Amino acid sequence: MSDACPCCSGKLFSECCEPYVSGKKRAPTPEALMRSRYTAFTLSDVVYLSRTMRGKAKEGMDYEGTKTWAKSVDWKGLEVSESKIAPSGKRGIVAFVASFEEEGELKTIAERSEFRKHKGYWYYTDKA
């Protein structure tokens, strides 16, 4: 894919989220991880979504339901309004709005997400 990255960063997919979603690299920041997770939703890549979750966020994940839903909507865009890492370097917060069209209706998911660093890697852990 040589198109613009679905995460709306303004970069090419190959230079933005592709290395993370493909497993070639790990996301270096909570924001990079959140953007790559949005991109994984646009690709219906539940394996990547699962691999980048820990704790409460991962409990009871419905793989088939998530994949079916992600494929059924038309992803429109992502806006990040907040991105910060705690002084400890082990916790991050990212606030965003993801837009999509479902059954002809424009909808959004607005969330403030918590990320934690474990053994050098960032994971989505819960809503903040």
Side-chain angles (χ1 to χ4, degrees):
M1 179 186 249
S2 61
D3 297 333
C5 192
C7 81
C8 302
S9 66
K11 299 176 186 175
L12 292 176
F13 176 64
S14 62
E15 298 171 353
C16 190
C17 291
E18 189 274 334
Y20 311 134
V21 176
S22 70
K24 293 176 191 166
K25 292 183 179 179
R26 296 294 285 238
T29 65
E31 182 175 342
L33 180 61
M34 195 282 309
R35 287 182 174 280
S36 68
R37 287 178 49 78
Y38 171 84
T39 296
F41 272 104
T42 71
L43 301 170
S44 306
D45 187 342
V46 294
V47 172
Y48 181 76
L49 293 170
S50 176
R51 189 175 68 215
T52 57
M53 297 164 69
R54 288 182 62 83
K56 186 175 179 182
K58 194 167 183 173
E59 292 172 9
M61 181 179 172
D62 177 2
Y63 292 85
E64 286 307 311
T66 299
K67 188 171 192 167
T68 299
W69 177 75
K71 282 183 173 183
S72 75
V73 302
D74 182 18
W75 295 95
K76 298 294 186 184
L78 176 69
E79 293 179 35
V80 175
S81 59
E82 177 186 12
S83 181
K84 62 184 178 181
I85 298 173
S88 68
K90 297 198 181 284
R91 182 176 180 267
I93 300 292
V94 179
F96 66 91
V97 176
S99 304
F100 59 94
E101 189 175 319
E102 185 174 31
E103 298 177 355
E105 184 180 342
L106 186 61
K107 297 182 178 183
T108 60
I109 298 170
E111 187 174 304
R112 193 167 182 264
S113 299
E114 178 182 74
F115 296 81
R116 298 261 180 187
K117 201 171 201 179
H118 179 74
K119 296 186 179 181
Y121 297 112
W122 287 104
Y123 294 91
Y124 167 60
T125 56
D126 202 357
K127 294 177 183 175

